[in-house]
Amino acid sequence: QVQLVQSGAEVKKPGASVKVSCKASGYTFTSYDINWVRQATGQGLEWMGWMNPNSGNTGYAQKFQGRVTMTRNTSISTAYMELSSLRSEDTAVYYCARGRGDMDVWGKGTTVTVSS
Amino acid sequence: EIVMTQSPATLSVSPGERATLSCRASQSVSSNLAWYQQKPGQAPRLLIYGASTRATGIPARFSGSGSGTEFTLTISSLQSEDFAVYYCQQYNNWPKTFGQGTKLEIK
């Protein structure tokens, strides 16, 4: 079945970077955009950006410009989101989700905790 | 960026009754509006896209309407599994933006 499987939870210190992976299966990876959305505990959903796995083109929300990088490895149908210069406010669940407009398939989320 | 405003923040409804959730955009998003359901500890699930088209496998009791700046999600007869948080999201303009969510709770 169509699914996105994300990497496991991470604990990082302030100032460090984190790289989360999202492995696609059950469909052609290069045919659908991958988005990254995060959610702090008890808060709403925040869209971070998107990547076209075919071209590698990306677009990032202004808030994350300069700190986020979205990449992919088409040979293993995997997308990556790297967030640098982490601060405590980046503690959240990070989701990958498939889709150009609406997002119809979501990973289960990766918890990233930033703590000294 | 387009601001999406959902109301009410919390809606208390009894099982079997109808629930009506609202979403307003700060400028027109045409019909490029999606609704998601999120239960505790789970990822969001797509319910509606294109403002009114149910996603695959979504029961007919869920319906969406509206265009431009005003949108509504209606759940015709609430089941126990429908109590959750609901988000609207526009994808007409970049960046994509979500509403702050409506929590649907059991009355």
Short mmCIF file of all heavy atoms in Angstrom, two decimals, chain A residues 35 39 43-45 47 50 60 95 99-103 106-107, chain B residues 34 36 38 42-44 46 49 87 89 91 94-96 98 100:
data_model
loop_
_atom_site.label_atom_id
_atom_site.label_comp_id
_atom_site.label_asym_id
_atom_site.label_seq_id
_atom_site.Cartn_x
_atom_site.Cartn_y
_atom_site.Cartn_z
N ASN A 35 6.03 17.24 0.89
CA ASN A 35 5.97 18.41 1.78
C ASN A 35 6.48 18.02 3.16
O ASN A 35 6.42 16.85 3.55
CB ASN A 35 4.52 18.88 1.94
CG ASN A 35 3.87 19.26 0.64
OD1 ASN A 35 3.84 20.41 0.23
ND2 ASN A 35 3.31 18.27 -0.05
N GLN A 39 4.59 20.18 13.87
CA GLN A 39 3.56 20.44 14.86
C GLN A 39 4.18 20.39 16.25
O GLN A 39 4.60 19.32 16.70
CB GLN A 39 2.43 19.42 14.74
CG GLN A 39 1.26 19.67 15.64
CD GLN A 39 0.11 18.73 15.35
OE1 GLN A 39 0.30 17.54 15.07
NE2 GLN A 39 -1.12 19.24 15.40
N GLN A 43 -0.06 22.28 19.59
CA GLN A 43 -0.22 23.38 18.63
C GLN A 43 -0.75 22.89 17.29
O GLN A 43 -0.98 21.68 17.09
CB GLN A 43 1.12 24.09 18.43
CG GLN A 43 1.73 24.63 19.72
CD GLN A 43 0.82 25.61 20.42
OE1 GLN A 43 0.36 26.59 19.82
NE2 GLN A 43 0.56 25.36 21.69
N GLY A 44 -0.92 23.82 16.38
CA GLY A 44 -1.44 23.49 15.06
C GLY A 44 -0.35 23.05 14.10
O GLY A 44 0.81 22.83 14.48
N LEU A 45 -0.74 22.91 12.84
CA LEU A 45 0.15 22.44 11.79
C LEU A 45 0.83 23.61 11.10
O LEU A 45 0.20 24.63 10.81
CB LEU A 45 -0.67 21.64 10.76
CG LEU A 45 -1.41 20.43 11.32
CD1 LEU A 45 -2.40 19.89 10.31
CD2 LEU A 45 -0.43 19.34 11.74
N TRP A 47 3.33 24.45 7.81
CA TRP A 47 3.97 23.98 6.58
C TRP A 47 5.35 24.58 6.46
O TRP A 47 5.53 25.79 6.57
CB TRP A 47 3.10 24.36 5.39
CG TRP A 47 3.56 23.87 4.07
CD1 TRP A 47 3.43 22.62 3.57
CD2 TRP A 47 4.21 24.64 3.07
NE1 TRP A 47 3.98 22.56 2.30
CE2 TRP A 47 4.45 23.79 1.97
CE3 TRP A 47 4.62 25.97 2.97
CZ2 TRP A 47 5.08 24.21 0.81
CZ3 TRP A 47 5.23 26.41 1.81
CH2 TRP A 47 5.46 25.53 0.75
N TRP A 50 8.36 22.35 0.39
CA TRP A 50 8.09 21.22 -0.49
C TRP A 50 9.29 20.93 -1.36
O TRP A 50 10.19 21.76 -1.53
CB TRP A 50 6.88 21.51 -1.39
CG TRP A 50 7.16 22.60 -2.39
CD1 TRP A 50 6.97 23.94 -2.19
CD2 TRP A 50 7.70 22.47 -3.71
NE1 TRP A 50 7.37 24.64 -3.30
CE2 TRP A 50 7.81 23.77 -4.25
CE3 TRP A 50 8.10 21.39 -4.49
CZ2 TRP A 50 8.30 24.01 -5.53
CZ3 TRP A 50 8.59 21.63 -5.76
CH2 TRP A 50 8.69 22.93 -6.27
N TYR A 60 10.73 26.82 0.13
CA TYR A 60 10.70 26.84 1.59
C TYR A 60 9.88 28.02 2.09
O TYR A 60 9.96 29.13 1.54
CB TYR A 60 12.12 26.94 2.16
CG TYR A 60 13.07 25.88 1.67
CD1 TYR A 60 14.38 26.20 1.32
CD2 TYR A 60 12.68 24.55 1.55
CE1 TYR A 60 15.27 25.24 0.87
CE2 TYR A 60 13.56 23.58 1.09
CZ TYR A 60 14.84 23.93 0.76
OH TYR A 60 15.72 22.97 0.31
N TYR A 95 6.39 15.96 10.08
CA TYR A 95 5.72 15.05 9.17
C TYR A 95 6.18 15.29 7.73
O TYR A 95 6.34 16.45 7.33
CB TYR A 95 4.20 15.26 9.19
CG TYR A 95 3.50 14.96 10.48
CD1 TYR A 95 3.12 15.98 11.35
CD2 TYR A 95 3.16 13.65 10.83
CE1 TYR A 95 2.45 15.72 12.52
CE2 TYR A 95 2.49 13.38 12.00
CZ TYR A 95 2.13 14.41 12.85
OH TYR A 95 1.46 14.13 14.02
N GLY A 99 1.97 15.36 -1.95
CA GLY A 99 0.95 16.11 -2.67
C GLY A 99 1.41 17.46 -3.17
O GLY A 99 2.21 18.12 -2.53
N ARG A 100 0.84 17.89 -4.29
CA ARG A 100 1.15 19.20 -4.88
C ARG A 100 0.34 20.29 -4.20
O ARG A 100 0.87 21.34 -3.85
CB ARG A 100 0.84 19.15 -6.38
CG ARG A 100 0.92 20.49 -7.10
CD ARG A 100 2.32 21.05 -7.16
NE ARG A 100 3.28 20.14 -7.74
CZ ARG A 100 3.56 20.06 -9.02
NH1 ARG A 100 2.91 20.83 -9.88
NH2 ARG A 100 4.49 19.24 -9.46
N GLY A 101 -0.96 20.04 -3.99
CA GLY A 101 -1.82 21.02 -3.34
C GLY A 101 -2.25 20.50 -1.99
O GLY A 101 -1.66 20.81 -0.97
N ASP A 102 -3.31 19.67 -2.01
CA ASP A 102 -3.66 18.96 -0.80
C ASP A 102 -2.62 17.86 -0.57
O ASP A 102 -1.82 17.54 -1.45
CB ASP A 102 -5.06 18.34 -0.93
CG ASP A 102 -5.15 17.39 -2.10
OD1 ASP A 102 -5.45 17.86 -3.21
OD2 ASP A 102 -4.89 16.18 -1.91
N MET A 103 -2.65 17.31 0.64
CA MET A 103 -1.65 16.30 1.00
C MET A 103 -2.38 15.03 1.41
O MET A 103 -3.03 14.99 2.47
CB MET A 103 -0.77 16.85 2.13
CG MET A 103 0.12 17.99 1.63
SD MET A 103 0.99 18.89 2.93
CE MET A 103 -0.26 20.09 3.40
N TRP A 106 0.41 10.78 4.50
CA TRP A 106 1.28 11.38 5.52
C TRP A 106 2.11 10.28 6.18
O TRP A 106 1.64 9.16 6.39
CB TRP A 106 0.45 12.06 6.60
CG TRP A 106 -0.28 13.30 6.13
CD1 TRP A 106 -1.28 13.35 5.20
CD2 TRP A 106 -0.08 14.63 6.60
NE1 TRP A 106 -1.71 14.66 5.05
CE2 TRP A 106 -0.99 15.45 5.91
CE3 TRP A 106 0.77 15.22 7.53
CZ2 TRP A 106 -1.07 16.84 6.12
CZ3 TRP A 106 0.70 16.58 7.75
CH2 TRP A 106 -0.21 17.38 7.04
N GLY A 107 3.33 10.62 6.52
CA GLY A 107 4.10 9.76 7.40
C GLY A 107 3.56 9.86 8.82
O GLY A 107 2.73 10.72 9.13
N ALA B 34 -8.46 22.37 1.46
CA ALA B 34 -8.54 20.99 1.95
C ALA B 34 -8.90 21.00 3.43
O ALA B 34 -8.63 21.97 4.15
CB ALA B 34 -7.21 20.27 1.74
N TYR B 36 -8.60 18.43 6.93
CA TYR B 36 -7.93 17.29 7.53
C TYR B 36 -8.52 17.00 8.91
O TYR B 36 -8.94 17.92 9.61
CB TYR B 36 -6.43 17.55 7.70
CG TYR B 36 -5.72 17.86 6.40
CD1 TYR B 36 -5.66 19.15 5.92
CD2 TYR B 36 -5.11 16.85 5.66
CE1 TYR B 36 -5.02 19.45 4.74
CE2 TYR B 36 -4.46 17.13 4.47
CZ TYR B 36 -4.42 18.44 4.02
OH TYR B 36 -3.78 18.72 2.83
N GLN B 38 -7.43 15.17 12.56
CA GLN B 38 -6.29 14.66 13.32
C GLN B 38 -6.75 14.19 14.69
O GLN B 38 -7.37 14.95 15.44
CB GLN B 38 -5.19 15.71 13.47
CG GLN B 38 -3.93 15.14 14.11
CD GLN B 38 -2.81 16.15 14.24
OE1 GLN B 38 -3.03 17.33 14.47
NE2 GLN B 38 -1.57 15.68 14.09
N GLN B 42 -1.76 10.88 16.25
CA GLN B 42 -1.79 10.42 14.86
C GLN B 42 -1.46 11.57 13.90
O GLN B 42 -1.59 12.75 14.24
CB GLN B 42 -3.16 9.86 14.50
CG GLN B 42 -3.54 8.62 15.28
CD GLN B 42 -4.86 8.03 14.81
OE1 GLN B 42 -5.37 8.35 13.72
NE2 GLN B 42 -5.43 7.15 15.63
N ALA B 43 -1.07 11.18 12.69
CA ALA B 43 -0.87 12.17 11.64
C ALA B 43 -2.22 12.66 11.13
O ALA B 43 -3.25 11.97 11.28
CB ALA B 43 -0.09 11.54 10.49
N PRO B 44 -2.26 13.83 10.54
CA PRO B 44 -3.51 14.29 9.91
C PRO B 44 -3.93 13.34 8.80
O PRO B 44 -3.11 12.66 8.19
CB PRO B 44 -3.12 15.66 9.34
CG PRO B 44 -1.97 16.11 10.17
CD PRO B 44 -1.20 14.85 10.48
N LEU B 46 -6.37 13.33 5.28
CA LEU B 46 -7.10 14.15 4.32
C LEU B 46 -8.55 13.70 4.24
O LEU B 46 -8.82 12.53 4.02
CB LEU B 46 -6.44 14.06 2.94
CG LEU B 46 -7.13 14.81 1.81
CD1 LEU B 46 -7.05 16.32 2.03
CD2 LEU B 46 -6.51 14.43 0.46
N TYR B 49 -10.77 17.67 -0.46
CA TYR B 49 -9.91 18.54 -1.26
C TYR B 49 -10.76 19.23 -2.32
O TYR B 49 -11.90 18.83 -2.56
CB TYR B 49 -8.75 17.76 -1.89
CG TYR B 49 -9.17 16.70 -2.89
CD1 TYR B 49 -9.28 16.98 -4.24
CD2 TYR B 49 -9.47 15.41 -2.45
CE1 TYR B 49 -9.66 16.01 -5.15
CE2 TYR B 49 -9.86 14.43 -3.35
CZ TYR B 49 -9.95 14.73 -4.69
OH TYR B 49 -10.36 13.76 -5.58
N TYR B 87 -8.58 20.61 10.66
CA TYR B 87 -7.84 21.73 10.11
C TYR B 87 -8.24 21.99 8.67
O TYR B 87 -8.42 21.03 7.90
CB TYR B 87 -6.32 21.45 10.12
CG TYR B 87 -5.71 21.32 11.48
CD1 TYR B 87 -5.55 20.07 12.08
CD2 TYR B 87 -5.26 22.44 12.18
CE1 TYR B 87 -4.98 19.95 13.34
CE2 TYR B 87 -4.68 22.33 13.44
CZ TYR B 87 -4.55 21.08 14.00
OH TYR B 87 -3.97 20.97 15.26
N GLN B 89 -6.83 23.96 5.12
CA GLN B 89 -5.55 24.33 4.53
C GLN B 89 -5.78 24.85 3.12
O GLN B 89 -6.50 24.22 2.35
CB GLN B 89 -4.61 23.12 4.48
CG GLN B 89 -3.28 23.36 3.77
CD GLN B 89 -3.05 22.41 2.62
OE1 GLN B 89 -3.47 21.25 2.64
NE2 GLN B 89 -2.38 22.87 1.59
N TYR B 91 -4.25 25.92 -0.63
CA TYR B 91 -3.11 25.67 -1.50
C TYR B 91 -3.23 26.46 -2.80
O TYR B 91 -2.69 26.07 -3.84
CB TYR B 91 -2.92 24.17 -1.76
CG TYR B 91 -4.16 23.42 -2.19
CD1 TYR B 91 -4.48 23.25 -3.53
CD2 TYR B 91 -4.99 22.83 -1.23
CE1 TYR B 91 -5.59 22.53 -3.91
CE2 TYR B 91 -6.11 22.10 -1.61
CZ TYR B 91 -6.41 21.96 -2.95
OH TYR B 91 -7.52 21.24 -3.32
N TRP B 94 1.15 30.45 -2.54
CA TRP B 94 2.33 30.03 -1.80
C TRP B 94 2.62 31.07 -0.73
O TRP B 94 2.55 32.27 -1.00
CB TRP B 94 3.51 29.92 -2.77
CG TRP B 94 4.67 29.16 -2.24
CD1 TRP B 94 4.92 27.83 -2.37
CD2 TRP B 94 5.75 29.69 -1.47
NE1 TRP B 94 6.09 27.51 -1.75
CE2 TRP B 94 6.62 28.62 -1.17
CE3 TRP B 94 6.07 30.96 -1.00
CZ2 TRP B 94 7.78 28.78 -0.44
CZ3 TRP B 94 7.23 31.14 -0.25
CH2 TRP B 94 8.07 30.04 0.01
N PRO B 95 2.94 30.68 0.53
CA PRO B 95 3.06 29.30 1.01
C PRO B 95 1.71 28.70 1.38
O PRO B 95 0.74 29.42 1.65
CB PRO B 95 3.91 29.46 2.27
CG PRO B 95 3.51 30.80 2.81
CD PRO B 95 3.27 31.67 1.60
N LYS B 96 1.64 27.40 1.39
CA LYS B 96 0.46 26.73 1.92
C LYS B 96 0.29 27.14 3.38
O LYS B 96 1.27 27.25 4.11
CB LYS B 96 0.63 25.20 1.85
CG LYS B 96 0.79 24.66 0.44
CD LYS B 96 0.98 23.14 0.47
CE LYS B 96 1.23 22.62 -0.93
NZ LYS B 96 1.39 21.14 -0.96
N PHE B 98 -2.32 26.70 7.02
CA PHE B 98 -3.37 25.99 7.73
C PHE B 98 -4.12 26.95 8.65
O PHE B 98 -3.56 27.95 9.14
CB PHE B 98 -2.76 24.91 8.63
CG PHE B 98 -2.16 23.74 7.90
CD1 PHE B 98 -0.82 23.73 7.55
CD2 PHE B 98 -2.93 22.62 7.58
CE1 PHE B 98 -0.25 22.66 6.90
CE2 PHE B 98 -2.37 21.53 6.94
CZ PHE B 98 -1.02 21.55 6.60
N GLN B 100 -5.98 27.31 12.42
CA GLN B 100 -5.46 26.94 13.74
C GLN B 100 -6.16 25.71 14.31
O GLN B 100 -5.75 25.19 15.35
CB GLN B 100 -5.59 28.13 14.70
CG GLN B 100 -6.98 28.31 15.31
CD GLN B 100 -7.98 29.00 14.40
OE1 GLN B 100 -7.80 29.10 13.18
NE2 GLN B 100 -9.06 29.48 15.01
#
